[in-house]
Amino acid sequence: GQCAIAREKGGQKMLNRMRMAPKLIGAFTVVGLIACIIGIIACVEFANLTKQVQDIGQVRMPSVQALLNMNVGMQSAWVAERGLINRRMMDTDLRQAQYTYNDDNMKLIKTNWDIYEPLLQLPNEKTAWQEFVPKFEDWEAKHQVVVQYSKEKDKLLLAGIKPSDLRVLTLDDKAFNASITARNAFLSAEDGLKKLVDINSKAVSEASVTAIADGQHNRIVTACTVVIGFLLAIGIGIWFSQSIVRPMAQGVNMMHELSLGHIGQRLHMN
């Protein structure tokens, strides 16, 4: 009879180990899934925030900087133009400096144009850019007319023609009138450029506010997810510990009964 009891106990232990293994694997699997869910939620939230920050740092701010540099270039070229039509500024070196200053600033415009144009544009920004381009080209063409008249005038002067000569005076008048025309085109193009700057500045401001709000939201979501995951892990731990402690208590009780000579005891473990 005792041998039968021993065999039954051995078989029961093997069965219990078989039942315990799925519980153990299941418990750790659930805890692992909770950790994965927390990680995935955090990654998604911070990926969105990173995208917003990248848009500000890699698109909006470079766009604003390039547009402002273009505006500086246009204004400086206009200053050089005003110097060229000034009849009091007839020194050869001074006039050459004006040409150089003009060329440098036209290059500045071109350089920043090439920086800005490939950047991702907002829908309203794209429309504003399409409106600006022909205005700029109109100003550039009229500006070059002033420069060309000034160069023709300087060639006459270098050839020994007096400033009072009718040909020189005629070119002076043409350059001055062309400058007036170019000024109107300049103001129109500058307005278009300022509109582009305003669009990007507003986008930076809105994106900054959104990024701050999303950062706060991300912290809340992450904290809530961690707390929920922690509580679930505690609940699973309690359940799992009970599934171990209860059979062990039953085993201890059975051993106590056997020690008292109650050999008919059976251990039932689920």
Side-chain angles (χ1 to χ4, degrees), residues 27 30-31 230-245:
V30 172
V31 173
F230 175 76
L231 294 176
L232 286 174
I234 291 296
I236 292 171
I238 293 173
W239 168 80
F240 185 65
S241 64
Q242 290 296 323
S243 69
I244 296 176
V245 171

Side-chain angles (χ1 to χ4, degrees), residues 30-192:
V30 172
V31 173
L33 287 174
I34 292 173
C36 288
I37 292 171
I38 294 174
I40 290 172
I41 292 174
C43 287
V44 170
E45 294 292 337
F46 283 104
N48 292 334
L49 182 60
T50 299
K51 183 178 179 181
Q52 292 173 348
V53 173
Q54 287 178 337
D55 181 68
I56 294 174
Q58 298 179 7
V59 179
R60 296 301 138 218
M61 292 306 297
S63 294
V64 171
Q65 186 62 57
L67 291 168
L68 289 175
N69 287 340
M70 288 171 61
N71 192 32
V72 169
M74 289 179 61
Q75 290 179 343
S76 298
W78 180 73
V79 170
E81 176 188 307
R82 302 301 294 176
L84 290 173
I85 65 172
N86 189 338
R87 294 180 180 179
R88 296 181 179 180
M89 298 177 64
M90 298 304 298
D91 180 78
T92 302
D93 292 338
L94 183 58
R95 293 185 65 78
Q96 184 57 48
Q98 297 301 308
Y99 289 121
T100 300
Y101 188 60
N102 176 74
D103 292 342
D104 289 345
N105 282 283
M106 295 305 292
K107 290 178 182 178
L108 176 65
I109 296 171
K110 178 64 168 59
T111 297
N112 284 275
W113 186 298
D114 292 340
I115 293 173
Y116 170 78
E117 196 167 33
L119 295 175
L120 181 65
Q121 296 179 347
L122 299 168
N124 59 334
E125 179 185 6
K126 186 175 182 180
T127 300
W129 175 252
Q130 292 172 344
E131 293 173 352
F132 164 76
V133 171
K135 292 179 179 179
F136 172 83
E137 292 174 346
D138 181 52
W139 165 75
E140 183 180 26
K142 292 174 178 177
H143 170 73
Q144 291 303 326
V145 170
V146 179
V147 174
Q148 185 58 39
Y149 282 143
S150 297
K151 288 182 177 180
E152 291 177 11
K153 168 187 170 181
D154 289 339
K155 286 181 180 179
L156 291 177
L157 294 174
L158 288 174
I161 304 299
K162 295 181 178 181
S164 58
D165 188 277
L166 180 61
R167 289 170 292 177
V168 175
L169 295 176
T170 300
L171 286 172
D172 266 338
D173 291 338
K174 287 182 177 181
F176 179 80
N177 291 330
S179 180
I180 297 298
T181 302
R183 180 178 181 276
N184 294 329
F186 169 83
L187 293 175
S188 178
E190 187 178 45
D191 287 342

